[in-house]
Amino acid sequence: MSNPQTAPLSSPATTSVPTRTSALRRFARNPRLRKFMRHRLAMAGLVTIIVLTLACFIGPYLLPYDELYIDLRARFSPPLTGAHIFGTDPLGRDIAARLFSAGQISLTVGFLAMVLSTLIGTAIGLVAGYFGGWSRVGLMRVTDAFLSFPSIFLMLTLAAFLRPSPTMITLIIAVTSWMEVARIVEAEVRGQAGRDFTIAARMIGAPHWWIMFREILPNIMGPIIVAATLTVARAILLEAYISFLGYGIQPPLPSWGNMLNNAQQYLDSAPWLAIVPGVAITLAVTSFNFIGDGLRDALDARSVN
Amino acid sequence: MLRFLVNRILQGCVLILIVSMIGFAVINLAPGGPLSQYAMTPGMSQADLDRIAHQMGLDRPLPVQYLDWLGNMLTGDWGRSYRDQSPVLDVVWRHLGATLLLMGTSTAIAIALGTMVGVLGALKRYSIFDYMATVGAMIALSIPTFWFGLVAIFIFSLELGWLPAGSMYTVGDQSLGDYLIHLIMPSLVLALVNVAIWSRYMRTATLDVMHQDFVRTARAKGLPRWRIVSAHIVRNALIPMITLAGLQLPTIIGGALVTETVFTWPGLGRLFIDSLGYNDYPVIMGLLMFSAILTVIGNFLADIGVAFADPRIRLG
């Protein structure tokens, strides 16, 4: 895990001479941004995510079919039959249309779950790392408890017994995936708490919340952003898992996971039912993982190895 | 040492207790409750439902029910399955072997492959192989296990016809070879993610060890390269991996759950999914507890294993 002894992120641009260049220029010259842009896989991931998001949110308007439109005469059309680019499903619904609107749901669930779990994890990590002592022992013990538990069991139980609306699925994923962030933030905060600027702030009588949010938090944004990016990948995967098993997003609402739900029984006759959504999930998750990797290289001073 | 052991056992018990409370609360507070199964039976009146609830002790306050359940569990009575009325522990026991076989095989494969890939990547750092292994590991971590299973079935069972598409044995032919053939695909699919994780950590651990003094000494003594790698580098790099193996246990159990579903493998994961479908509360609760206990024991064994493998570590 993170080592509190290592040097924290240095604040940027303290050395550069202030010039009159526009904000955009300054942004483009940011060494971290340049480092990120040089990371080829991360850039590929970023482009893929942008294309995928645009396709999911604009694509449905360009397709001739609605994701819920049933055409029993066109059941099981293989890809590239007529206007069905990716073919049709057992009810004759257009897979491309379903894939895109499923993507809207899956990406939104993944993104919102990331926001929520990052907030939970950051809050817990901040309090535990800043106050130390018993609050740290207590909070980190709870974090360990959550970490050492096969979360998929807990998640499925929750999803099976609570009403599995998209909101509920988002909440369930968030509640079971904040621990990594909490551990990272706790370690980083512990490293910052003893540093000069924190002590100085305390000496001029700044309140605790000020020191936590205005002094420490900006300095540890790098690791938080990296962890958050990787959490999106994880959340999309988790949604796919629960929906595949039938306890996630419920049909007729499509999600990438539940499109695969019945695909196994048609694997022989209509393999595209399984292949198309799986490729979408893998693309999205791989891209977020690559972006996270690039951000880690660009933002994290410790990524020497 | 003793203090450490007692401490860890107490921590484990607290963890298991927390899990049991969460699980119990979720299952019993959810709309419908344990009686939702009966409520759908035609001709079932509210009076009948109340009678069943009373019989099952469901009309008592929740904390009382919980303490009752906890007491029974500690004395080895985990309740009876709603499906066939057999004791939960028997049901779990019946499915345990299949899961352990799958998890064990897959973990062995993952450790062997992951160690090889990780060590090679570290020795030939920044080579094409290292680069491919890094990118490959990241992609492997991004593929949903169940989908990878589906693709494997499509290619190797349906298209090529080399391997069976699921289940643990062919009915009528339960020879060792038959088991092995059925084991190949699920264990490899389950191993993929763990090969990725294991090789990444192994690479880092090898890089840490490679530049230490004792490796330099070994080289100065003129030991052949393969001996330095096998006896000095790999052996020492494996020590932190023992902890990792313990920490990975939840991931492996979770992966086994979907793998068993895809390959219709008669293990605990499938049992869990089936029980969820039947609202079989006692079995669900039992499996939640069982996975928590398994995880605690795994981490505990990993801690002890590290202490034995690494003379520098003193527990206490």
Side-chain angles (χ1 to χ4, degrees):
Chain A
M1 271 295 109
S2 311
N3 183 350
Q5 249 70 47
T6 45
L9 295 164
S10 59
S11 55
T14 41
T15 47
S16 66
V17 186
T19 49
R20 275 194 215 154
T21 44
S22 67
L24 191 69
R25 272 253 182 92
R26 242 188 353 256
F27 179 67
R29 278 193 196 159
N30 185 322
R32 291 178 184 178
L33 183 72
R34 296 188 141 201
K35 196 161 180 207
F36 180 76
M37 306 253 299
R38 273 203 305 274
H39 196 294
R40 264 182 251 151
L41 288 173
M43 286 315 283
L46 191 64
V47 171
T48 312
I49 286 299
I50 292 173
V51 170
L52 211 57
T53 313
L54 286 179
C56 289
F57 284 88
I58 298 175
Y61 299 102
L62 306 176
L63 288 171
Y65 305 101
D66 181 45
E67 83 270 14
L68 297 176
Y69 175 71
I70 294 173
D71 180 5
L72 286 177
R73 282 164 308 163
R75 307 170 69 206
F76 297 116
S77 314
L80 301 174
T81 348
H84 298 293
I85 330 167
F86 293 139
T88 60
D89 71 358
L91 292 173
R93 292 175 298 193
D94 184 49
I95 289 189
R98 289 185 68 71
L99 186 78
F100 292 148
S101 50
Q104 289 180 16
I105 293 176
S106 294
L107 289 172
T108 312
V109 167
F111 184 76
L112 290 180
M114 174 276 283
V115 171
L116 263 178
S117 65
T118 307
L119 286 178
I120 302 175
T122 307
I124 288 181
L126 260 180
V127 171
Y130 182 78
F131 290 108
W134 278 107
S135 60
R136 194 180 74 123
V137 174
L139 287 173
M140 291 333 275
R141 198 51 43 88
V142 173
T143 310
D144 288 343
F146 268 86
L147 258 182
S148 63
F149 187 64
S151 54
I152 189 126
F153 278 77
L154 192 61
M155 230 164 40
L156 280 173
T157 314
L158 283 166
F161 289 104
L162 303 171
R163 189 161 295 120
S165 64
T167 322
M168 192 52 87
I169 297 299
T170 312
L171 286 176
I172 290 173
I173 294 175
V175 163
T176 49
S177 51
W178 51 270
M179 295 83 74
E180 293 287 323
V181 180
R183 283 180 94 162
I184 292 168
V185 171
E186 193 267 339
E188 294 286 334
V189 172
R190 209 149 25 102
Q192 300 279 329
R195 286 174 40 100
D196 290 347
F197 64 89
T198 321
I199 296 168
R202 200 172 296 150
M203 269 160 58
I204 60 170
H208 288 308
W209 65 266
W210 176 278
I211 301 177
M212 283 200 286
F213 288 100
R214 303 299 298 267
E215 303 288 341
I216 295 179
L217 195 57
N219 277 301
I220 58 170
M221 278 318 277
I224 294 179
I225 292 173
V226 174
T229 316
L230 299 176
T231 307
V232 182
R234 204 181 116 85
I236 294 175
L237 262 186
L238 286 178
E239 185 275 319
Y241 274 92
I242 11 185
S243 296
F244 168 70
L245 293 170
Y247 294 99
I249 309 288
Q250 296 298 310
L253 217 57
S255 89
W256 284 340
N258 76 20
M259 286 179 77
L260 286 164
N261 188 221
N262 297 324
Q264 188 165 11
Q265 64 191 97
Y266 303 112
L267 206 52
D268 207 5
S269 53
W272 59 89
L273 288 176
I275 291 167
V276 173
V279 169
I281 299 172
T282 307
L283 267 182
V285 177
T286 315
S287 301
F288 276 113
N289 278 334
F290 281 156
I291 296 174
D293 198 46
L295 285 173
R296 185 182 358 237
D297 283 357
L299 297 175
D300 198 323
R302 277 179 285 116
S303 64
V304 197
N305 85 345
Chain B
M1 181 74 183
L2 189 71
R3 214 182 121 196
F4 169 83
L5 288 182
V6 172
N7 220 334
R8 285 309 304 261
I9 291 172
L10 281 179
Q11 276 176 30
C13 292
V14 171
L15 175 72
I16 292 170
L17 211 62
I18 296 176
V19 168
S20 74
M21 283 183 205
I22 297 176
F24 202 84
V26 169
I27 291 179
N28 286 283
L29 294 177
L35 287 182
S36 53
Q37 200 77 340
Y38 297 102
M40 277 179 264
T41 318
M44 186 70 80
S45 69
Q46 187 58 44
D48 292 334
L49 282 178
D50 289 344
R51 196 166 41 77
I52 297 175
H54 184 70
Q55 248 173 24
M56 294 165 74
L58 295 171
D59 50 354
R60 297 169 302 165
L62 203 58
V64 177
Q65 286 186 47
Y66 174 71
L67 288 178
D68 189 38
W69 173 86
L70 191 69
N72 284 339
M73 199 202 80
L74 290 176
T75 52
D77 173 14
W78 290 28
R80 278 169 185 279
S81 161
Y82 287 180
R83 255 197 293 174
D84 56 2
Q85 295 300 322
S86 50
V88 170
L89 272 181
D90 285 4
V91 180
V92 170
W93 193 247
R94 262 198 312 246
H95 292 78
L96 181 64
T99 293
L100 286 184
L101 178 66
L102 179 62
M103 271 173 40
T105 316
S106 142
T107 309
I109 296 172
I111 290 178
L113 266 179
T115 305
M116 258 165 24
V117 173
V119 170
L120 273 178
L123 292 179
K124 307 236 177 277
R125 201 175 166 195
Y126 302 133
S127 64
I128 303 240
F129 174 80
D130 186 29
Y131 186 75
M132 301 263 284
T134 306
V135 176
M138 219 156 3
I139 294 174
L141 282 175
S142 309
I143 300 177
T145 309
F146 62 87
W147 183 67
F148 189 59
L150 289 182
V151 174
I153 292 176
F154 177 65
I155 297 175
F156 295 106
S157 306
L158 300 178
E159 290 294 303
L160 298 172
W162 289 353
L163 294 166
S167 131
M168 198 159 95
Y169 49 82
T170 320
V171 180
D173 172 19
Q174 298 190 18
S175 60
L176 184 66
D178 188 49
Y179 274 108
L180 284 180
I181 282 184
H182 283 83
L183 191 58
I184 295 174
M185 230 177 0
S187 58
L188 282 177
V189 166
L190 180 55
L192 178 80
V193 172
N194 294 306
V195 171
I197 297 174
W198 193 270
S199 69
R200 298 317 298 149
Y201 280 98
M202 194 63 203
R203 179 179 180 272
T204 314
T206 309
L207 285 174
D208 281 348
V209 173
M210 253 166 73
H211 300 293
Q212 287 189 15
D213 291 345
F214 61 83
V215 176
R216 199 181 47 198
T217 310
R219 199 169 292 151
K221 276 198 304 191
L223 280 185
R225 194 173 152 78
W226 63 269
R227 256 200 77 80
I228 299 176
V229 171
S230 64
H232 293 263
I233 296 180
V234 175
R235 255 194 85 166
N236 283 290
L238 275 173
I239 292 172
M241 294 289 120
I242 301 173
T243 315
L244 181 72
L247 288 176
Q248 280 309 113
L249 207 63
T251 319
I252 300 174
I253 298 177
L257 189 135
V258 276
T259 316
E260 284 176 8
T261 311
V262 171
F263 289 98
T264 54
W265 191 264
L268 292 175
R270 247 186 88 78
L271 175 67
F272 186 73
I273 299 290
D274 288 348
S275 304
L276 276 182
Y278 280 100
N279 277 354
D280 195 342
Y281 288 65
V283 177
I284 296 171
M285 201 57 207
L287 284 174
L288 275 176
M289 296 319 299
F290 194 77
S291 64
I293 292 171
L294 210 63
T295 310
V296 167
I297 293 177
N299 284 334
F300 184 67
L301 289 181
D303 280 340
I304 295 179
V306 170
F308 273 109
D310 190 346
R312 284 168 304 183
I313 292 180
R314 292 268 167 276
L315 302 175

